[in-house]
């Protein structure tokens, strides 16, 4: 059976680097890390988008922060989907309206105040806000939530349906915001860096949380030249531990290998790997072990979490978008002052200029050993 | 999907008063699904200790009610026949909400700067499926779909697409359920009876089974269809239950009350009960209506 190709017609991201592609690229070139100390309850660095979105004008005053991020993302690529009729919307999040629940929780418990938790707390509030803004475009939506790999699943689900001719196009939105629950939760697991995250470095001491999101317009028959093609994507489960990866990385390796097989390309065709690279001692060690066991030709490996933090369920689509931007710029950016890489042959210490990279791999791993790998072919 | 049929097999439904298929058959024979006088929220108790009994792993002490419930229905239902490449989906409106609520309470009310690591890693939506893969050392594709009060419609729309992949990507497993939580009582603007109830099954391509007939603009439009007219049984949500006459009308409502995943259970009931006469399944959402027909 003939399979359709799945093209990326447009993309954007919102992160501590910027709220659109141009701003993100300027920040990458300036090599400025926009992290701040969160506050007294969590006195550690975070990559926040608060300052970047504070002056953004929304149609509605009544939006949760995740919905605001999603609407900014859609506005960024609106021209490419606005005249295309019904488009299924594949949302990914792991936080929903939790920040707003935290802000009102004391009032709800102590002062017995009315707050519509059923409406505001759960994930559908994001897609409902989008549907209100774009009632003629987004009529069907589904929210995938598999912790940090959530947006990898949104991409996978849409990819399978487009590739097999069941739908023609899809919009993928992954968003997650900073909340005390996730910040204190990760700190309780001793996974948070109290300095700043240093992914893929031997000096790494944990992750730094970030917020934001990414958006992709996927199509089988784009109107104009597409930016990239998703050639393969697969996912499996470690079946090992609820919050740690299998130390041998067997199923991360299996996931990457299966994706390569689906893509029908040689391992040597992959010139760049955008790692999940959280910056925790265990996660990075396992991921690099899996990568090295497959790729003997020394592709370049970096993590974007040094620039934007760990954006949780939004990380796969956000980092995929920023990767496309970097590769278009023919530069793989490395954070300033990066040193002592886990593997000197794979991980550059400085930003590097590159020739055209045709294929790259994006990894995304989540709690419970939920693994997703994606292979993308650059076209523009 | 309009021309394709899908069969549901290896079904398990568990709550505080249903443990085995025989329990469901007995309830059906006693007109439980069609007689509102038997519907008592008090049937849904919090006695779920039996859910731990079947799990041979020390991890069971760490699992929440929804993780235990989903584990049990997966084991009793499709678990033994799950193949390596079967995809497993959890459909849950609120997933691990009780665990999340405990964390928020610790941080906001108790002013904790750290929380239980177990509570935190248990709080993600995919946790029930992760525990199942870890205890059984399985490596299947797992994902969770969760849309709060809109989860029924998300499931209908997603299923209409995903089922079509059956011919290419084989069968898939559905697990679904909610757990009762004090969190729901904190919302005084909306009263919902959310109860702990779980189900799991396998969906496969078949010559017979359920067919999706599409979206309708009114219930009247559905009542005029040949499928509806020919049907002996109608399974519907509580919204339509009292509006449909001249048919044997049933609802899964007493099994799940206001859980927004009722359609996941409803779709499986004709198969679980072995109803051989033509059946239609109706769901409504925001003034739109959705219909399946089932012929076994």
């Amino acid at each position: 059976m003939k399979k359709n190709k799945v093209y990326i017609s447009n993309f954007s991201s919102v992160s501590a680097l910027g709220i659109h592609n141009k701003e993100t690229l300027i920040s990458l070139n300036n090599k400025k890390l926009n992290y701040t100390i969160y506050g007294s309850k969590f006195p550690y660095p975070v990559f926040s988008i608060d300052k970047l979105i504070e002056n953004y004008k929304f149609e509605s005053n009544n939006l949760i922060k995740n919905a605001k991020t999603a609407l900014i993302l859609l506005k960024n690529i609106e021209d490419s989907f606005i005249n295309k009729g019904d488009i299924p919307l594949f949302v990914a999040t792991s936080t929903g309206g939790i920040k707003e629940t935290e802000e009102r929780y004391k009032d709800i418990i102590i002062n017995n105040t009315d707050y519509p938790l059923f409406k505001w707390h759960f994930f559908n509030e994001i897609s409902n806000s989008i549907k209100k803004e774009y009632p003629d475009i987004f009529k069907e939506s589904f929210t995938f939530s598999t912790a940090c790999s959530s947006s990898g699943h949104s991409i996978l689900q849409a990819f399978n349906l487009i590739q097999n001719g069941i739908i023609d196009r899809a919009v993928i939105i992954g968003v997650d915001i900073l909340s005390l629950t996730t910040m204190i939760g990760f700190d309780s697991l001793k996974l948070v860096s109290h300095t700043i995250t240093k992914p893929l470095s031997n000096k790494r001491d944990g992750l730094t949380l970030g917020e934001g999101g990414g958006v992709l317009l996927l199509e089988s028959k784009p109107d104009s030249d597409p930016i990239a093609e998703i050639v393969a994507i697969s996912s499996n489960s470690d079946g090992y531990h609820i919050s740690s990866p299998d130390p041998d990385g067997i199923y991360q390796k299996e996931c990457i290998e299966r994706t390569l097989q689906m893509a029908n390309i040689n391992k040597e065709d992959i010139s760049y790997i955008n790692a999940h690279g959280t910056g925790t001692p265990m996660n990075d060690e396992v991921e690099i072990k899996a990568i090295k066991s497959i790729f003997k030709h020394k592709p370049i490996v970096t993590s974007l979490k040094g620039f934007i933090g760990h954006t949780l369920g939004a990380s796969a689509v956000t980092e995929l978008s920023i990767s496309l931007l970097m590769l278009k710029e023919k530069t793989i950016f490395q954070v300033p002052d990066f040193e002592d890489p886990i593997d000197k042959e794979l991980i550059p210490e400085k930003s590097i200029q590159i020739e055209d990279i045709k294929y790259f791999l994006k990894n995304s791993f989540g709690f419970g050993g939920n693994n997703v790998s994606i292979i993308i072919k650059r076209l523009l | 999907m309009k021309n394709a049929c899908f069969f549901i097999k290896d079904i398990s439904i568990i709550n505080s008063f249903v443990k085995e298929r025989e329990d469901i058959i007995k309830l059906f024979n006693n007109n439980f699904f069609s007689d509102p006088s038997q519907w008592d929220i008090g049937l849904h108790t919090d006695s779920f200790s039996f859910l731990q009994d079947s799990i041979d792993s020390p991890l069971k002490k760490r699992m929440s009610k929804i993780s235990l419930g989903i584990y049990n229905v997966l084991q009793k239902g499709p678990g033994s026949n799950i193949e390596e490449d079967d995809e497993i989906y959890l459909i849950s409106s609120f997933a691990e909400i009780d665990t999340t609520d405990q964390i928020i309470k610790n941080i906001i009310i108790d002013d904790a700067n750290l929380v239980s690591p177990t509570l935190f890693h248990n709080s993600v939506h995919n946790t029930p499926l992760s525990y199942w893969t870890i205890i059984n050392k399985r490596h299947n594709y797992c994902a969770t779909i969760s849309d709060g009060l809109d989860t029924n419609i998300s499931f209908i729309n997603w299923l209409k697409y995903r089922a079509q992949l059956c011919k290419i990507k084989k069968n898939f497993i559905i697990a679904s359920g909610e757990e009762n939580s004090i969190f729901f009582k904190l919302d005084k603007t909306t009263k919902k009876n959310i109860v702990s109830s779980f189900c799991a099954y396998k969906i496969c391509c078949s010559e017979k089974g359920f067919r999706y007939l599409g979206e309708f603009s009114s219930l009247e439009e559905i009542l005029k269809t040949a499928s509806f007219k020919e049907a002996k049984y109608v399974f519907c949500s509580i919204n339509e239950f009292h509006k449909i006459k001249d048919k044997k009308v049933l609802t899964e409502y007493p099994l799940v009350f206001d859980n927004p995943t009722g359609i996941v259970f409803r779709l499986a009931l004709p198969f679980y009960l072995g109803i051989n006469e033509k059946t239609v399944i109706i769901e409504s959402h925001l003034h739109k209506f959705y219909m399946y027909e089932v012929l076994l």
Side-chain angles (χ1 to χ4, degrees), chain B residues 35-101:
Chain B
D35 175 8
S37 71
Q38 297 184 53
W39 302 348
D40 184 355
I41 190 77
L43 285 168
H44 291 270
T45 66
D46 259 340
S47 50
F48 279 95
S49 56
F50 70 93
L51 290 176
Q52 283 200 349
D53 298 343
S54 61
I55 305 178
D56 182 21
S57 164
L59 285 176
K60 65 185 179 186
K61 290 182 183 153
R62 298 179 171 205
M63 292 163 72
S64 67
K65 207 185 299 169
I66 186 170
S67 281
L68 289 166
I70 293 299
Y71 183 94
N72 272 268
V73 287
L74 277 171
Q75 286 299 96
K76 280 196 165 186
S80 53
N81 292 323
I82 288 181
E83 293 173 42
E84 268 181 27
D85 53 353
D86 282 344
E87 297 180 348
I88 308 173
Y89 294 92
L90 173 64
I91 314 297
S92 180
S93 313
F94 315 116
E96 296 278 0
I97 186 61
D98 204 51
T99 305
T100 306
D101 183 55

Side-chain angles (χ1 to χ4, degrees), chain B residues 7-285:
Chain B
F7 200 83
I8 294 180
K9 63 180 187 178
D10 301 337
I11 304 165
S12 172
I13 295 176
I14 292 177
N15 62 24
S16 59
F17 59 96
V18 171
K19 316 275 187 297
E20 306 288 345
R21 179 169 179 263
E22 289 65 37
D23 298 331
I24 291 276
I25 301 283
K26 204 170 152 188
L27 290 169
F28 176 66
N29 290 337
N30 289 335
N31 296 321
F32 181 71
F33 300 110
S34 54
D35 175 8
S37 71
Q38 297 184 53
W39 302 348
D40 184 355
I41 190 77
L43 285 168
H44 291 270
T45 66
D46 259 340
S47 50
F48 279 95
S49 56
F50 70 93
L51 290 176
Q52 283 200 349
D53 298 343
S54 61
I55 305 178
D56 182 21
S57 164
L59 285 176
K60 65 185 179 186
K61 290 182 183 153
R62 298 179 171 205
M63 292 163 72
S64 67
K65 207 185 299 169
I66 186 170
S67 281
L68 289 166
I70 293 299
Y71 183 94
N72 272 268
V73 287
L74 277 171
Q75 286 299 96
K76 280 196 165 186
S80 53
N81 292 323
I82 288 181
E83 293 173 42
E84 268 181 27
D85 53 353
D86 282 344
E87 297 180 348
I88 308 173
Y89 294 92
L90 173 64
I91 314 297
S92 180
S93 313
F94 315 116
E96 296 278 0
I97 186 61
D98 204 51
T99 305
T100 306
D101 183 55
Q102 288 178 57
I103 296 172
I104 298 174
K105 183 179 170 296
N106 287 166
I107 294 170
I108 304 295
I109 305 298
D110 307 335
D111 203 24
N113 289 323
L114 291 172
V115 295
S116 149
T118 304
L119 272 187
F120 181 62
H121 64 52
N122 272 3
S123 68
V124 302
H125 274 55
N126 219 37
T127 298
L129 297 185
S130 298
Y131 273 120
W132 185 84
T133 62
I134 292 163
I135 294 171
N136 289 291
K137 297 187 172 43
R138 300 299 294 256
H139 308 286
N140 297 68
Y141 173 93
C142 290
T144 295
I145 297 175
S146 180
D147 267 315
L149 293 178
D150 297 328
T151 304
N152 273 328
I153 189 62
S154 293
F155 175 72
I156 288 171
N157 284 327
W158 169 80
L159 182 65
K160 126 183 119 178
Y161 295 132
R162 176 58 186 86
Q164 291 184 65
L165 284 176
C166 269
K167 286 178 188 157
I168 307 146
K169 289 180 70 71
K170 293 190 57 182
N171 311 321
F172 57 108
I173 310 296
I174 298 291
S176 182
E178 313 295 345
E179 62 179 7
N180 187 17
S181 169
I182 194 151
F183 185 84
F184 302 124
K185 297 197 169 45
L186 300 178
D187 184 345
K188 287 173 276 298
T189 67
T190 311
K191 184 172 160 35
K192 296 275 178 198
N193 283 324
I194 305 299
V195 294
S196 302
S197 214
F198 314 97
C199 76
Y201 47 79
K202 189 167 192 165
I203 297 184
C204 341
C205 271
S206 176
E207 297 292 307
K208 54 188 182 177
F210 74 86
R211 276 200 316 148
Y212 179 59
L213 299 179
E215 184 183 307
F216 297 81
S217 55
S218 67
L219 184 58
E220 289 65 37
E221 201 184 329
I222 281 185
L223 303 187
K224 286 178 194 160
T225 62
S227 287
F228 182 86
K229 285 177 183 166
E230 290 162 10
K232 180 170 181 194
Y233 291 94
V234 177
F235 282 78
C236 60
S237 71
I238 191 65
N239 297 333
E240 284 69 49
F241 182 78
H242 298 288
K243 297 177 189 163
I244 299 169
K245 312 287 176 202
D246 307 324
K247 296 277 179 194
K248 183 75 176 164
V249 184
L250 304 99
T251 177
E252 82 296 343
Y253 184 72
L255 290 180
V256 299
F257 279 94
D258 295 332
N259 295 5
T261 38
I263 187 67
V264 188
F265 289 67
R266 198 180 315 148
L267 203 54
L269 277 177
F271 296 84
Y272 209 27
L273 295 167
I275 294 176
N276 286 317
E277 286 93 346
K278 189 165 184 175
T279 300
V280 293
I281 293 174
I282 299 169
E283 170 67 5
S284 63
H285 180 79

